[in-house]
């Protein structure tokens, strides 16, 4: 019996090792494929222009490309516009999403489910399909070429409402009843009970929203015309489309400057980012 029991296990061990080895190889291959553009940009940015496509181990290092990129275009203004944009959009999404999700999670109205289904229809519509209508609306409101005009079409997010609603529905009703006994009104219950318990969801969605709007390109390109309102993505595209030719070393340095805040945020909060998504119940 002992030999019969041990034989299949011993025979399966080589296959388990092979499977683990193949999984590790696939993971490293995907990681290298994902990191290859970033590694090339880093190489080109810290070496002189002549070494942008020459991979020599002892090539000289330099930081002049970063200084040249920073001085060649108004990147401080572009970065300020991007910060203002993501702050405005994410803040509005938190406020509107919280209020809507609370109503959909706790409302006993028979129309709540139908209204929530209508909200979810937004998930099926690509934002690029609404560019013409959004532009007409922003022109009618006088918000063309403004940071508010860039962010206004995104202040209500169906994904954020859905995510917060699912989180609020998991909050025990007893906590709300206890808060009412203590004298809390509706907004007090929302602020003191629901919002603190949904912090992982806010963090997960906030990081996703900031990343999306920091990298958004097409709509900001359509709605902006001047340096004073262009975000980083549009500013980088305008900077790269020079008629004098493209210096890949400086372009790579500028790309790293624009992506550095997101990369730094991910490196600092990657554990909280993954845990927040897991606790938020995204499947």
């Amino acid at each position: 019996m002992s030999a019969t029991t041990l034989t299949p296990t011993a025979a399966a061990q080589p296959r388990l090792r092979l499977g683990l080895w193949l999984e590790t190889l696939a993971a490293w291959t995907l990681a290298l494929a994902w990191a290859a553009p970033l590694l090339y940009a880093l190489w080109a940015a810290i070496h002189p222009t002549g070494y942008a496509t020459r991979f020599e181990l002892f090539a000289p290092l330099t930081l002049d490309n970063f200084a040249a990129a920073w001085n060649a275009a108004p990147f401080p203004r572009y970065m300020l516009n991007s910060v203002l944009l993501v702050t405005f959009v994410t803040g509005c999404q938190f406020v509107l999403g919280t209020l809507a999700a609370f109503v959909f999670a706790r409302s006993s109205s028979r129309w709540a489910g139908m209204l929530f289904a209508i909200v979810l229809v937004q998930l099926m519509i690509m934002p690029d399909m609404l560019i013409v209508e959004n532009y007409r609306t922003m022109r009618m409101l006088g918000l063309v070429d403004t940071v508010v005009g860039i962010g206004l079409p995104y202040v209500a997010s169906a994904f954020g409402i859905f995510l917060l609603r699912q989180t609020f529905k998991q909050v025990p009703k007893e906590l709300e009843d206890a808060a009412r006994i203590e004298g809390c009104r509706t907004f007090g219950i929302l602020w003191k009970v629901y919002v603190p318990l949904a912090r992982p969801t806010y963090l997960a969605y906030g990081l996703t929203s900031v990343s999306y709007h920091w990298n958004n390109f097409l709509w900001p390109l359509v709605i902006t015309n001047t340096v004073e309102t262009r975000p980083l993505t549009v500013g980088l595209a305008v900077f790269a489309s020079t008629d004098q030719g493209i210096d890949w070393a400086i372009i790579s340095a500028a790309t790293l400057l624009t992506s550095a805040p997101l990369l730094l945020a991910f490196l600092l909060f990657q554990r909280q980012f993954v845990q927040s998504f897991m606790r938020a119940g995204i499947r």
Side-chain angles (χ1 to χ4, degrees), residues 15-171:
R15 285 180 291 181
L16 292 175
R17 294 196 195 98
L18 179 60
L20 181 60
W21 185 83
L22 290 176
E23 289 180 1
T24 304
L25 179 62
W28 276 104
T29 302
L30 290 175
L32 290 175
W34 178 87
L38 182 62
L39 294 176
Y40 170 75
L42 180 61
W43 169 273
I46 62 176
H47 291 88
T49 303
Y51 293 91
T53 56
R54 292 167 51 192
F55 302 100
E56 297 182 8
L57 183 60
F58 298 103
L61 301 177
T62 182
L63 296 178
D64 293 340
N65 296 322
F66 292 95
W70 188 264
N71 295 324
F75 280 104
R77 181 65 192 185
Y78 294 154
M79 188 167 295
L80 175 61
N81 293 336
S82 291
V83 171
L84 294 176
L85 173 63
V86 298
T87 302
F88 168 69
V89 173
T90 306
C92 291
Q93 287 178 344
F94 278 174
V95 174
L96 296 178
T98 299
L99 297 176
F102 180 71
V103 172
F104 288 134
R106 291 309 186 195
S107 176
S108 57
S109 173
R110 61 179 181 177
W111 300 104
M114 183 181 299
L115 292 175
F116 182 64
I118 295 175
V119 170
L120 292 183
V121 172
Q122 181 188 355
L123 296 175
M124 306 177 189
I125 302 175
M126 294 296 295
D128 297 345
M129 297 174 59
L130 304 175
I131 283 182
V132 175
E133 294 301 325
N134 285 338
Y135 186 86
R136 288 176 178 174
T137 304
M138 295 303 109
R139 185 178 61 181
M140 181 181 64
L141 296 175
L143 296 177
V144 174
D145 199 28
T146 63
V147 175
V148 175
I150 302 174
L152 193 60
Y154 299 94
V155 295
S157 170
F159 177 67
I161 294 173
F162 167 77
L163 199 61
L164 290 170
R165 173 186 178 269
Q166 298 305 108
T167 302
F168 289 167
K169 286 180 71 69
Q170 298 174 7
V171 176

